[in-house]
Amino acid sequence: MADRTNPSHIQQRPYVSTTVPPRGNSINHPVASFLRQLQSQSPEHSRQRFGLLAFFISGGILLLLTGITVTAFVLGFIAFLPIIIISSPIWIPLFLLITGILSVAGFLFGTAAVVSWTYMYFKGMHPVGSNQVDYARSRIYDTAAHVKDYAGGYFHGKLKDAAPGA
């Protein structure tokens, strides 16, 4: 039997700084093995492995939540399908009515916004985007003037060639 009071008989373990305290016989545990591998690698390797681990964990959780959501939707749809079918004479006109009302409201809002912007622009109140409209208008005017000058010179030269004595 070994004498436990004598410190020379105590087996020394190499010091490894871990964030997980050792618990019992966890030497062959996969998490402990993974952490030991992480600590033996360079910090960049460790960061990449932790990033990959986080990616797989979060991806697995999101995949699980997606599966639960789809399953709940399908089961709910199956459960409420008879009620939906029985009450469909109410749902279809109601859907069309609500769709029509929302469409008309959206078109009216869009029209009011365009009319309001146009009114403010022509009154000189400089609404948002008016500088871009002014820039586009000046570019169009400059291009039109350039084309007019080019075309005027082109046709004037052709007339001279057609009647050299004129």
Side-chain angles (χ1 to χ4, degrees):
M1 191 66 118
D3 183 20
R4 297 197 182 259
T5 58
N6 188 356
S8 65
H9 290 40
I10 296 175
Q11 185 180 14
Q12 293 290 326
R13 288 188 189 173
Y15 176 73
V16 179
S17 65
T18 62
T19 56
V20 179
R23 290 183 221 163
N25 189 9
S26 64
I27 294 173
N28 293 328
H29 195 270
V31 175
S33 172
F34 180 71
L35 287 174
R36 262 188 265 109
Q37 279 184 345
L38 282 177
Q39 291 165 354
S40 69
Q41 299 293 328
S42 68
E44 184 61 33
H45 241 156
S46 175
R47 206 172 303 133
Q48 287 176 350
R49 284 193 183 168
F50 271 124
L52 192 62
L53 181 67
F55 173 74
F56 281 121
I57 289 173
S58 60
I61 290 171
L62 289 175
L63 190 62
L64 177 73
L65 290 175
T66 302
I68 290 171
T69 303
V70 168
T71 303
F73 175 77
V74 168
L75 291 177
F77 186 73
I78 290 170
F80 288 108
L81 189 61
I83 295 171
I84 293 171
I85 291 174
I86 290 172
S87 62
S88 65
I90 297 169
W91 289 108
I92 293 173
L94 187 65
F95 173 76
L96 293 175
L97 180 70
I98 290 173
T99 304
I101 289 172
L102 290 176
S103 297
V104 168
F107 290 139
L108 287 176
F109 179 77
T111 302
V114 167
V115 168
S116 170
W117 189 93
T118 306
Y119 175 78
M120 288 193 316
Y121 180 75
F122 285 117
K123 284 292 189 177
M125 295 183 208
H126 301 291
V128 175
S130 63
N131 56 350
Q132 293 174 339
V133 171
D134 291 338
Y135 177 73
R137 184 178 58 198
S138 69
R139 288 288 306 265
I140 291 171
Y141 177 77
D142 291 343
T143 304
H146 180 72
V147 168
K148 177 184 168 193
D149 292 342
Y150 181 78
Y154 177 77
F155 285 125
H156 186 68
K158 288 291 183 182
L159 290 176
K160 281 185 180 178
D161 290 342

